[in-house]
Amino acid sequence: MSEAPHLAELLRSWRTQVSPADVGLPFRPDSRRTPGLRREEVAWLAGISPDYVKRLEQGRAHPSSSVLKALARTLRISDAEYEMACRIAGYAAQAGGQVPQTIGPSVQRLLDRFADTPIAVFDAAWTLLEHNDIWAAMSGDGRNPRPGRAENLVWRSFLGDPGRMRHPDLAGYRASLIADLRDVAARYPADRELAALIGELRRSSDEFARLWTSTAAAHFGNGNESKTLDHPVVGELHLDCDVLSVHGADLRIIVFSAAPGSESAQRLRLLSVLGTQDMTASR
């Protein structure tokens, strides 16, 4: 614990280096007396309490590995900085053994620019990290996703809320998700959260356990696919689904689009106007 104050100094320094625009937060340049994010904003983005952020920055608390990982993602620190923070906190974490969850400024700009196109960013294990407003309006997902099992596509497909999307080949979709997850687990063997996720899925879902031991080698998102989404307000949406990879960051971006001039395109435009109003009540 003797190095905790040093970690506190790092957290304060990293917070001042992240602007609200970097993480998609609205702000007025003349509304801030100090640079960077406020503690309350860091807490909101990382899914922890503002008081806990304050105690961490004062050296009066010691973060768990999961909290440290959430802070690293929120503060957009590099792999090298994350490794250093782990060493200071007493965790033997290897950047190559942990699933990356850092969203760079260029990916954030992509989310901000295409306001009329549903876009979401996932880590390599298919945990939702960030999305734009029209994705939230379309899917019903919360505006500020917190990395965890409830935000993981594999978990949701087998044990959680599968969402509004209808897959033309559900069995094939699930098999490809698992095959992809198996490859990710091999690439990141030191990620304890990933191992715990897979272990719980194997114990709780017979179908997952059976598919996990199969020899299928397909990967999720191999090319464009058509999806149907049942929306409680605008009705049925027929969408094309593309999965993009962010090289070097090991992130996946899912983009939904509708054929120009189609009824689904008109309904997407309506969703961009409606936003997330009344969406909570409709889920």
Side-chain angles (χ1 to χ4, degrees):
M1 290 290 188
S2 60
E3 293 178 291
H6 181 46
L7 178 61
E9 293 169 7
L10 285 176
L11 292 175
R12 291 196 301 269
S13 174
W14 287 331
R15 176 166 63 83
T16 64
Q17 296 172 34
V18 182
S19 73
D22 291 336
V23 293
L25 293 175
F27 78 106
R28 299 195 314 274
D30 59 348
S31 65
R32 300 195 172 233
R33 298 179 180 178
T34 57
L37 298 176
R38 298 187 175 104
R39 285 174 177 164
E40 294 78 7
E41 292 166 335
V42 171
W44 184 68
L45 291 165
I48 56 181
S49 72
D51 179 67
Y52 189 49
V53 173
K54 180 179 180 179
R55 288 189 288 117
L56 285 172
E57 291 192 352
Q58 293 176 343
R60 297 188 294 112
H62 188 73
S64 66
S65 59
S66 60
V67 166
L68 196 58
K69 193 172 184 178
L71 288 170
R73 182 182 67 87
T74 297
L75 298 174
R76 304 295 198 260
I77 65 175
S78 67
D79 287 343
E81 290 170 325
Y82 174 63
E83 283 190 89
M84 178 174 61
C86 285
R87 288 196 300 271
I88 292 172
Y91 304 118
Q94 301 174 1
Q98 303 286 324
V99 176
Q101 293 185 330
T102 301
I103 299 176
S106 61
V107 175
Q108 187 64 54
R109 285 194 296 270
L110 185 69
L111 287 166
D112 298 336
R113 172 165 293 188
F114 294 96
D116 59 348
T117 301
I119 300 177
V121 183
F122 295 78
D123 67 14
W126 294 109
T127 295
L128 178 63
L129 302 178
E130 186 60 275
H131 55 65
N132 59 7
D133 287 338
I134 192 172
W135 176 285
M138 177 195 74
S139 66
D141 292 329
R143 180 61 192 91
N144 186 44
R146 308 285 201 271
R149 294 179 182 178
E151 302 286 0
N152 184 274
L153 281 185
V154 189
W155 181 270
R156 291 181 64 168
S157 181
F158 288 92
L159 295 177
D161 177 6
R164 299 168 176 169
M165 193 66 62
R166 282 193 277 129
H167 303 280
D169 179 12
L170 181 58
Y173 167 76
R174 287 177 167 176
S176 64
L177 269 179
I178 290 178
D180 197 52
L181 189 65
R182 190 188 302 112
D183 179 66
V184 173
R187 297 206 316 271
Y188 298 100
D191 195 309
R192 294 182 179 179
E193 294 177 33
L194 176 59
L197 170 74
I198 294 170
E200 183 61 31
L201 281 164
R202 295 185 71 178
R203 288 189 295 272
S204 303
S205 171
D206 292 339
E207 182 182 6
F208 181 93
R210 176 179 58 81
L211 291 171
W212 183 258
T213 57
S214 72
T215 57
H219 289 274
F220 180 78
N222 286 339
N224 176 276
E225 297 180 349
S226 296
K227 305 285 187 182
T228 300
L229 184 141
D230 297 311
H231 194 277
V233 177
V234 302
E236 192 173 78
L237 293 166
H238 300 284
L239 304 171
D240 291 326
C241 175
D242 289 280
V243 180
L244 314 176
S245 297
V246 182
H247 295 291
D250 209 358
L251 299 175
R252 283 84 176 276
I253 301 176
I254 294 183
V255 182
F256 283 107
S257 62
S262 66
E263 188 173 4
S264 291
Q266 296 175 8
R267 291 175 176 176
L268 269 185
R269 283 195 294 272
L270 177 59
L271 273 180
S272 68
V273 175
L274 291 175
T276 54
Q277 59 180 330
D278 297 325
M279 292 300 107
T280 302
S282 65
R283 286 194 68 184

